[in-house]
Amino acid sequence: MSPHTLILSLLVTLATIQGNYAVEYTVTNTAGSTAGGARFSAEIGEDYSLQTLSAATDFIWRLFQQPNAEDRKNVQKVSLFIDDMDGVAYASNNEIHVSARYIGGYSGDLKREYTGVIYHEMTHIWQWNGNGQAPGGLIEGIADFVRLKANYAPSHWVQPGQGDRWDQGYDVTARFLDYCNDLRNGFVAELNKKMKDGYSDQFFVDLLGKSVDQLWSDYKAKYAK
């Protein structure tokens, strides 16, 4: 094989890999003139954001056990915006919007907090939602479960066993899902896979042999003081 042919072959292989796995990421700071937007540029930046978006995607694919493109949502591009808005962040239509006001006012380890937020929001890009039938608390709980497993859980989260109901959402549900995942390694990945076309509480019975309410009772009992 000539050097030219070898190079051409490598380029074709690279193109194939890129075609199967590559996701395009963009970062736009629309709030650069605000205090939070300026802090983003100074302490986080676009390069770190691009690296984090890519790392979060790779982590989610591994956690969801989706090594092949056909296992995943067909998302070609994810756009991140730093906006002058209230709240923390949200994901919609393959876009992630993060609040510059939140960035500007955060008093802890900003880069770690920001990274955790990105992992949470990127989960919303990739997770299945049962065609809109799954409880909102479960969807948010899975996103925080990913953040938990990536070791970006903030210190203010509830402790294991706390909370009022399994689908309360966010950290409460994330802790419960972590318990369920300990009962069956890969549970959350399998649950997400089942939620591709719809949702039923029966999924918990199918995967763990108990109703979600019984699992919640067991979980609460485990951590009861």
Side-chain angles (χ1 to χ4, degrees), residues 27 48 66 73 79 84 93 103-104 146 174 179 202 206 214:
V27 179
Y48 179 78
Q66 297 176 327
K73 280 187 178 180
S79 301
D84 183 21
N93 298 320
I103 290 173
V146 169
Y179 163 80
Q202 179 67 28
D206 296 343
Q214 182 60 55

Side-chain angles (χ1 to χ4, degrees), residues 201-219:
D201 285 351
Q202 179 67 28
F203 291 165
F204 286 84
V205 179
D206 296 343
L207 294 171
L208 295 174
K210 294 183 179 181
S211 71
V212 67
D213 291 330
Q214 182 60 55
L215 288 163
W216 176 253
S217 295
D218 293 349
Y219 169 67

Side-chain angles (χ1 to χ4, degrees), residues 23-121:
V23 179
E24 179 185 355
Y25 303 102
T26 64
V27 179
T28 306
N29 183 0
T30 68
S33 61
T34 70
R39 188 180 183 194
F40 167 81
S41 296
E43 299 183 30
I44 300 171
E46 293 185 9
D47 287 347
Y48 179 78
S49 296
L50 290 169
Q51 293 168 15
T52 303
L53 290 168
S54 179
T57 288
D58 290 344
F59 183 83
I60 292 162
W61 287 351
R62 290 196 304 272
L63 194 65
F64 283 178
Q65 300 176 1
Q66 297 176 327
N68 303 311
E70 57 266 25
D71 299 326
R72 308 186 292 255
K73 280 187 178 180
N74 182 20
V75 176
Q76 303 294 321
K77 179 179 179 181
V78 180
S79 301
L80 169 65
F81 296 91
I82 308 302
D83 293 332
D84 183 21
M85 66 180 198
D86 291 329
V88 178
Y90 70 91
S92 178
N93 298 320
N94 299 332
E95 293 180 357
I96 296 173
H97 296 260
V98 179
S99 168
R101 299 176 193 175
Y102 182 72
I103 290 173
Y106 191 77
S107 59
D109 184 339
L110 176 61
K111 185 169 279 191
R112 187 177 191 279
E113 169 67 9
Y114 173 81
T115 304
V117 169
I118 295 299
Y119 271 70
H120 175 106
E121 299 303 335

Side-chain angles (χ1 to χ4, degrees), residues 154-170:
S155 60
H156 63 76
W157 273 17
V158 299
Q159 294 303 304
Q162 294 182 328
D164 299 321
R165 62 183 195 279
W166 76 268
D167 60 349
Q168 191 169 339
Y170 297 99

